[in-house]
Amino acid sequence: MEKRIKSLTFKIGEETRPIKLNKNNYKDNLLSIQISKALVLINEYFPKNAFNEALDSPEDYPINKTISFLGDRGSGKSSCLESLVNILKEERKDIYVLDTIEPAFFDKHRNIIELIVGTMFRMFEKWEEEMQNTKRHNQLMELSLAFQNVKRDLQYMDSECCTEDSEIEDLQGLASSIGLSSSIKELVNEFLSVEKNAYLLVPIDDIDLNASLAYEMAEQIRKYLIMDKVVVCIAGKSEQLSNAIKQSYIRLYEPLLTHKQVTIEEISAMTEAYMVKFLPIRSRIYMPTQDDYADSSLVITDRQGKVETFDAVKVALLELIFKKTRFLFYNSKGQASLIVPS
């Protein structure tokens, strides 16, 4: 990763709160490289002034344009995601940005697609309460029908919705499952037409936290949200997401593993192949590591507003340890530091 020395600001009491940057100040932030790369990808996937070119082609299989912010806990993933959302709302009026989806609400009764559709429906209800002319009224009627079609198809998404004794219900469920992709595409088109938007951005934060259902979330995103007008932007820890998917494969192939017809190494290879398919490598954005900001200047503001400035994070760390404990450590050139990792 390219290294750029930026000033790092630390406010006591706000250690875990994501920051929301805007178009005027993000370039001076430590996360500027990550946010800039995301904006470049968005402009590539969503060309400006290309409303008519945004239509999906039934003959072409859409490219996976999922953007992912990847890194450890506290490395700035949520801040990058929220800042990207904020900047796009300022700069790109042709992109409708949904409220950030929190997979913590995703369980066996509410899947990720339902959460996204529910977020869109809240906006639909708000539009219905506003003053409407005849054209807008007709658009909202079409959008209402699109919601109904998606809801109907979602009812059959889980195979448990169908009884074993009803072949007709089984066939209806199969048809609705196949049609869900088309009905979601229709819903997106109708939703965007109301506000004359060309594209839809779906931000999803901490996708890896719901480890037990991570594979189901990934599959639903991959099956139903990969379309030309939509970009899904995900924040998470790739290792944790990969482990969750691997555990799903292990449960799926448990009989074969027991009889040694499949090895753990093969499961690992399958997991890696799936991760590449789900999160394309070219659109992965990795958060800064400690090496990237060790030489950045540090500004600390306490609860009373007192400001303390240091030339570098690695210097500040040792000085603060000394003030607190009276133990003195050094960053000796050519030697491994006992405190600052390298």
Side-chain angles (χ1 to χ4, degrees):
M1 180 183 294
E2 177 188 356
K3 294 188 178 181
R4 290 174 62 186
I5 299 177
K6 297 282 185 178
S7 178
L8 183 62
T9 302
F10 189 91
K11 295 182 180 180
I12 303 297
E14 299 183 7
E15 297 87 355
T16 59
R17 183 181 301 173
I19 59 171
K20 186 182 290 187
L21 303 170
N22 58 49
K23 63 181 181 180
N24 297 320
N25 64 8
Y26 82 91
K27 292 182 180 179
D28 297 323
N29 191 270
L30 190 70
L31 301 173
S32 62
I33 295 175
Q34 286 72 26
I35 296 172
S36 295
K37 181 176 179 181
L39 289 171
V40 168
L41 288 169
I42 290 292
N43 289 329
E44 176 186 336
Y45 296 150
F46 291 164
K48 295 181 181 179
N49 304 318
F51 188 91
N52 293 328
E53 298 175 12
L55 299 176
D56 291 308
S57 171
E59 298 178 358
D60 298 330
Y61 188 81
I63 298 171
N64 185 351
K65 300 184 287 289
T66 303
I67 298 172
S68 53
F69 292 110
L70 305 174
D72 290 328
R73 296 278 166 257
S75 59
K77 301 184 300 296
S78 296
S79 293
C80 278
L81 186 63
E82 292 301 318
S83 297
L84 176 65
V85 165
N86 197 40
I87 293 168
L88 290 176
K89 287 180 178 179
E90 293 175 318
E91 292 190 333
R92 296 291 303 270
K93 302 304 180 184
D94 58 334
I95 300 176
Y96 188 93
V97 183
L98 284 183
D99 293 338
T100 301
I101 306 297
E102 298 285 349
F105 297 104
F106 173 34
D107 54 33
K108 292 185 177 180
H109 305 289
R110 290 290 180 268
N111 61 55
I112 193 75
I113 300 299
E114 288 175 310
L115 290 179
I116 293 169
V117 172
T119 302
M120 297 170 70
F121 189 76
R122 285 201 306 270
M123 198 63 222
F124 166 73
E125 290 180 315
K126 181 180 177 181
W127 289 337
E128 277 198 316
E129 295 172 358
E130 299 171 351
M131 291 286 292
Q132 303 171 18
N133 56 32
T134 303
K135 180 179 179 182
R136 189 174 177 85
H137 174 75
N138 291 336
Q139 288 176 324
L140 292 176
M141 288 295 294
E142 293 294 329
L143 180 56
S144 177
L145 290 174
F147 274 116
Q148 292 177 36
N149 291 335
V150 171
K151 179 62 177 175
R152 179 201 64 213
D153 291 340
L154 279 170
Q155 290 176 345
Y156 294 97
M157 196 169 174
D158 190 343
S159 59
E160 293 178 358
C161 293
C162 303
T163 60
E164 294 181 0
D165 298 329
S166 175
E167 289 84 358
I168 297 298
E169 286 189 7
D170 286 342
L171 290 173
Q172 288 175 336
L174 178 61
S176 293
S177 179
I178 294 172
L180 181 59
S181 178
S182 297
S183 61
I184 289 177
K185 184 181 293 185
E186 178 190 357
L187 174 63
V188 169
N189 289 335
E190 296 295 343
F191 186 86
L192 293 175
S193 69
V194 174
E195 290 289 290
K196 296 183 174 60
N197 298 113
Y199 310 106
L200 179 69
L201 183 80
V202 182
I204 303 176
D205 198 9
D206 291 328
I207 190 173
D208 57 306
L209 286 187
N210 197 332
S212 61
L213 298 171
Y215 179 70
E216 286 81 354
M217 279 192 287
E219 270 296 89
Q220 289 162 10
I221 292 169
R222 190 181 66 83
K223 287 180 180 178
Y224 303 115
L225 292 177
I226 305 302
M227 58 184 78
D228 291 338
K229 291 185 179 182
V230 177
V231 162
V232 179
C233 196
I234 290 171
K237 185 175 181 179
S238 59
E239 294 84 1
Q240 188 164 325
L241 180 60
S242 179
N243 288 335
I245 292 172
K246 184 176 181 179
Q247 288 302 315
S248 297
Y249 276 133
I250 289 174
R251 288 192 295 270
L252 179 64
Y253 290 100
E254 185 175 5
L256 296 178
L257 284 167
T258 303
H259 294 89
K260 297 183 179 180
Q261 294 179 304
V262 173
T263 65
I264 287 294
E265 288 74 19
E266 289 175 311
I267 296 291
S268 298
M270 292 166 59
T271 302
E272 182 60 30
Y274 184 88
M275 285 290 291
V276 171
K277 193 173 185 179
F278 176 52
L279 301 178
I281 292 176
R282 74 177 299 268
S283 57
R284 293 183 187 183
I285 302 174
Y286 293 95
M287 294 300 100
T289 64
Q290 58 200 14
D291 289 336
D292 295 305
Y293 57 76
D295 292 317
S296 301
S297 60
L298 176 65
V299 178
I300 299 178
T301 305
D302 64 17
R303 291 182 174 87
Q304 287 72 42
K306 181 182 176 182
V307 177
E308 198 170 4
T309 304
F310 300 89
D311 292 334
V313 172
K314 62 184 181 182
V315 173
L317 183 59
L318 302 186
E319 288 189 23
L320 292 171
I321 289 174
F322 178 72
K323 288 181 181 180
K324 190 75 173 179
T325 67
R326 311 311 293 178
F327 286 106
L328 183 59
F329 297 91
Y330 295 95
N331 288 317
S332 301
K333 189 174 182 179
Q335 297 182 11
S337 172
L338 296 174
I339 302 297
V340 180
S342 59

